[in-house]
Amino acid sequence: MNNVSTRAPVRGTKTSLTLPNILTYARIAAIPVVVGCIFAQSILGGPLALRWVALAVFIAAAITDFLDGYYARIWDQHSAFGRMLDPIADKLLVASCLLMLAADGIIHGWTLWAAIVILCREILVSGLREYLAALRVSVPVTKLAKWKTTVQLVAIGFLLAGDAGDEILPITTQ
């Protein structure tokens, strides 16, 4: 007899060790890998292959952003901890990538203002949510916010490829 269960985890689980939360932890754990690869490639002069590693890890982390919410919904594994940690993981990933892109010089001059606006918006929204939570006012995430995050992650992914992407698509170089 095979003892392996093919059923989804128990519905309504409120522990911090659910698959959705583990995916969020993985997104946070991916941040030092992405930052380290970009740092080693751009600042230390490492091989362009490190850009592809950074991009692959970043894409995997971005996919976990979708999957953690999806599994939390279909398996009813919502938790207060998960609701708190998920947007923090998103903001950490975006902020660390934007800072590394600025340090690398990919984001510079006038384009740096876009990164500043993104970071300020993230901090303001977090502060507003914290303030409203103290007043017991719930602010649900809208479809527009989810699309904003998706577009933002795709754009950052293109920027992370940097010179490595230029080698594949030489049409993009001037």
Side-chain angles (χ1 to χ4, degrees):
M1 213 28 146
N2 187 351
N3 291 334
V4 177
S5 174
T6 57
R7 295 183 316 150
V10 178
R11 296 180 69 79
T13 303
K14 301 300 180 203
T15 178
S16 62
L17 285 178
T18 61
L19 179 61
N21 286 349
I22 291 169
L23 290 171
T24 302
Y25 302 145
R27 188 160 63 256
I28 293 170
I31 294 167
V33 176
V34 173
V35 168
C37 286
I38 297 298
F39 182 81
Q41 191 280 317
S42 65
I43 311 299
L44 301 179
L48 279 180
L50 288 172
R51 286 287 184 164
W52 293 117
V53 173
L55 181 60
V57 173
F58 177 80
I59 289 170
I63 290 171
T64 68
D65 185 31
F66 167 77
L67 291 177
D68 66 5
Y70 175 75
Y71 288 129
R73 281 187 300 277
I74 65 168
W75 290 339
D76 192 25
Q77 292 185 334
H78 300 275
S79 67
F81 182 73
R83 279 189 296 277
M84 179 270 308
L85 193 60
D86 180 62
I88 290 173
D90 294 342
K91 287 167 181 41
L92 288 173
L93 182 64
V94 167
S96 61
C97 287
L98 289 175
L99 290 172
M100 286 309 298
L101 290 166
D104 186 26
I106 290 177
I107 298 176
H108 64 282
W110 286 102
T111 59
L112 193 57
W113 284 100
I116 291 169
V117 167
I118 290 169
L119 292 175
C120 288
R121 181 219 171 264
E122 298 296 345
I123 292 167
L124 286 170
V125 168
S126 294
L128 180 62
R129 285 184 183 275
E130 185 73 24
Y131 172 74
L132 292 174
L135 298 176
R136 301 191 191 288
V137 175
S138 175
V139 182
V141 177
T142 65
K143 290 263 189 211
L144 180 61
K146 291 179 182 190
W147 276 104
K148 185 268 315 171
T149 300
T150 301
V151 169
Q152 190 170 274
L153 292 174
V154 168
I156 290 172
F158 277 107
L159 291 172
L160 284 176
D163 292 337
D166 290 342
E167 282 190 357
I168 288 181
L169 296 171
I171 216 168
T172 61
T173 60
Q174 295 179 5

